[in-house]
Amino acid sequence: MAGSRVVSEVRARDKDVKITAFGAEAWQPYNRVLLSNVVAGTSSPDQVRLLDPRWYADHGVTARLGVPVIAIDRDCQTVVAADGTREPYDVLVLATGSEPVVPPIPGVQRATAFRTLDDCERIREAATSARSAVVVGGGLLGIEAARGLAGRGVPVTLLHLAGHLMERQLDEEAGLILRETLGALGVAIRTGVTVSAIRERHVEMAGGELIDADLVVLACGVRPVVGLARDAGLEVERGVVVDDEMRTDDPSIFAIGECAQHAGRVYGLVAPGWEQASVVADLVTGADKGARYRGSRLVTRLKARSVELAAMGETQLTEDEAEIVRFSHRHTGTYRKLVIREGRLVGAILLGETSAVGTLTQLFDRGGPLPGDRTGLLFPDLAGVGGAAVADSPTRMPDSARVCQCNNVTKGQIRACWESGARNVEAVAAATRATTGCGSCRDAVEGIVGWLCEQEGVSA
């Protein structure tokens, strides 16, 4: 996703620079964020493409899809491809992404990792005849895979090593409510368990317990793909080390996306990769020689049908470390939590109905002061407290409000597109890329477009 983005960003700034794109996968660039929809059967592979199949040819880009690069010759400024060809470069951008973590247990070759579109195809094919499935890993991808399989009518058990689901993003109570929500949707969940082996039609737990599984899906985390960079002698820690220009210690080589490590951090979400791609495009084309990447503030959205979840920032702080505002209603699957320090929002969890996410994301991004009455932040529909509801009503939302987090699209940009003739979500997406990342902003974009059409008395 980061690689295709930097190509399109460079071409948008410079129509003439020669661009060659190598990709290990034979597929046209696609949106990994939406792969759970492919598993669930609610989207086809064509519907998660990032670029039209003709885009490369139409824009003068040489695309070597299905041809991985196996070496970088820095002395000659050349990359060596698996088919033996050598391609010279003035500027090289590494966007090698991540690879799934596969636990070293007996029988693991019988399982399928959940990472690529090919993985999705294998999972979908196996699901057509599977009488039972096990998903190993209760993070974001594992939950989305399990929900997708359950939606296909396959009995699913999700096994997770930690004590509660999504332990990096959620506190224990939110993890418990999420578990109960998923349970009601047909996903059986076991936490605090270890898988010791994968048998012919079972998963074996530490202690010998067997769980039926015709299909086993692995979602045990990912690690940056850094072998190419390491073999070329570039500085590598967890990821390929880069500075604020996204340059490695070789000034001709950049790294972006999940393989890059900036200021000690590797980002595993789409928005940072796209922000980094924009910086690199500005620098290599000269469009903005002062462009710098300063890090990202992440909002994690769960993309599983019938489950609404958003988490951001420091969600694990205690009452001794921060001001905590919390509402919990297990019966309805609702949990809302604000983490406030020095009058600023530094973290939040919204599980269940998430109408407040627009406002909270803005406050989290900008670090602005919060209203004295925190209740309006948790329940923006009850009253407009200190401007808390502005992000959830097109009428009162300022044009500067960011609607699409992945692509940094504001309400003002959507309005400008509408005024230029974009009368539906698809037209707005084509012009701004809003909704093309995690897809969680689609309802908001539809609301704004619908409101604008209503105001002017035109059809959407």
Side-chain angles (χ1 to χ4, degrees):
M1 294 180 71
S4 64
R5 185 57 165 252
V6 77
V7 168
S8 62
E9 294 276 5
V10 168
R11 181 54 82 227
R13 292 160 173 77
D14 190 319
K15 307 299 183 185
D16 301 318
V17 62
K18 180 183 177 184
I19 305 174
T20 302
F22 287 88
E25 294 184 70
W27 293 94
Q28 290 281 336
Y30 60 88
N31 191 336
R32 291 189 198 278
V33 179
L34 301 179
L35 288 184
S36 57
N37 293 350
V38 178
V39 170
T42 57
S43 295
S44 68
D46 284 345
Q47 290 174 311
V48 299
R49 280 196 314 238
L50 288 169
L51 297 174
D52 184 275
R54 300 181 299 274
W55 190 92
Y56 286 118
D58 290 347
H59 290 81
V61 175
T62 301
R64 306 290 308 283
L65 303 180
V67 183
V69 169
I70 59 173
I72 302 169
D73 184 337
R74 291 169 57 192
D75 292 333
C76 296
Q77 289 200 188
T78 303
V79 297
V80 182
D83 62 359
T85 58
R86 299 174 68 90
E87 183 73 25
Y89 66 84
D90 297 311
V91 171
L92 174 64
V93 181
L94 300 177
T96 49
S98 295
E99 61 187 358
V101 173
V102 178
I105 57 175
V108 73
Q109 69 275 7
R110 297 189 181 95
T112 299
F114 179 41
R115 178 64 181 167
T116 69
L117 201 44
D118 284 334
D119 295 335
C120 286
E121 296 290 280
R122 285 189 285 269
I123 293 169
R124 290 175 66 183
E125 182 178 354
T128 59
S129 59
R131 293 168 298 177
S132 58
V134 164
V135 175
V136 182
L140 200 64
L141 287 180
I143 292 170
E144 292 176 356
R147 177 64 186 113
L149 288 168
R152 286 181 168 271
V154 181
V156 183
T157 302
L158 188 152
L159 307 176
H160 190 45
L161 179 63
H164 67 271
L165 299 174
M166 293 182 64
E167 72 282 357
R168 293 184 179 180
Q169 295 89 7
L170 305 183
D171 59 20
E172 187 173 353
E173 187 171 0
L176 172 61
I177 295 175
L178 177 59
R179 173 176 180 163
E180 293 173 344
T181 299
L182 292 168
L185 296 172
V187 181
I189 295 172
R190 302 276 300 275
T191 55
V193 296
T194 302
V195 174
S196 59
I198 299 173
R199 305 302 181 191
E200 189 64 34
R201 293 190 177 278
H202 299 88
V203 169
E204 182 176 333
M205 315 283 282
E209 180 186 357
L210 296 177
I211 297 178
D212 292 342
D214 297 320
L215 167 62
V216 180
V217 177
L218 300 178
C220 305
V222 295
R223 63 169 65 92
V225 176
V226 297
L228 192 63
R230 181 180 284 118
D231 292 346
L234 299 174
E235 183 181 0
V236 172
E237 293 177 358
R238 183 178 170 218
V240 183
V241 177
V242 296
D243 59 17
D244 288 354
E245 294 186 337
M246 303 308 298
R247 291 185 200 268
T248 66
D249 50 340
D250 182 328
S252 298
I253 302 178
F254 298 78
I256 62 172
E258 291 183 323
C259 72
Q261 177 179 317
H262 173 266
R265 187 170 185 180
V266 175
Y267 293 94
L269 296 176
V270 62
W274 284 353
E275 292 170 12
Q276 294 164 3
S278 179
V279 169
V280 171
D282 280 338
L283 292 171
V284 300
T285 63
D288 180 2
K289 294 182 179 180
R292 300 293 184 272
Y293 177 68
R294 305 299 187 187
S296 298
R297 296 170 69 81
L298 301 182
V299 180
T300 300
R301 300 295 295 263
L302 180 63
K303 295 159 292 301
R305 189 158 49 93
S306 304
V307 184
E308 293 190 68
L309 171 65
M312 61 195 83
E314 302 177 71
T315 60
Q316 310 285 357
L317 297 182
T318 66
E319 298 276 5
D320 293 333
E321 300 169 303
E323 175 190 350
I324 307 295
V325 184
R326 182 188 293 111
F327 172 82
S328 178
H329 191 190
R330 286 178 58 182
H331 180 72
T332 60
T334 301
Y335 184 75
R336 303 180 184 186
K337 177 181 180 180
L338 307 180
V339 182
I340 301 165
R341 193 162 49 195
E342 298 179 355
R344 265 66 175 175
L345 185 69
V346 298
I349 299 172
L350 296 169
L351 175 58
E353 201 281 320
T354 56
S355 63
V357 69
T359 295
L360 295 180
T361 300
Q362 290 179 61
L363 292 170
F364 175 67
D365 275 344
R366 298 171 183 172
L370 303 182
D373 183 354
R374 315 299 200 206
T375 307
L377 296 173
L378 289 182
F379 303 98
D381 296 331
L382 295 181
V385 179
V390 295
D392 303 295
S393 167
T395 308
R396 292 173 290 171
M397 183 189 296
D399 277 353
S400 60
R402 185 158 61 163
V403 178
C404 176
Q405 302 298 316
C406 297
N407 290 287
N408 193 27
V409 180
T410 65
K411 177 197 170 185
Q413 290 171 296
I414 295 172
R415 181 199 291 274
C417 286
W418 186 90
E419 291 172 347
S420 298
R423 293 293 189 263
N424 55 44
V425 174
E426 288 68 29
V428 170
T432 67
R433 293 178 171 147
T435 77
T436 64
C438 72
S440 62
C441 66
R442 186 177 182 87
D443 287 347
V445 175
E446 285 180 344
I448 293 169
V449 171
W451 169 72
L452 287 168
C453 290
E454 181 181 344
Q455 295 300 302
E456 297 299 323
V458 298
S459 298

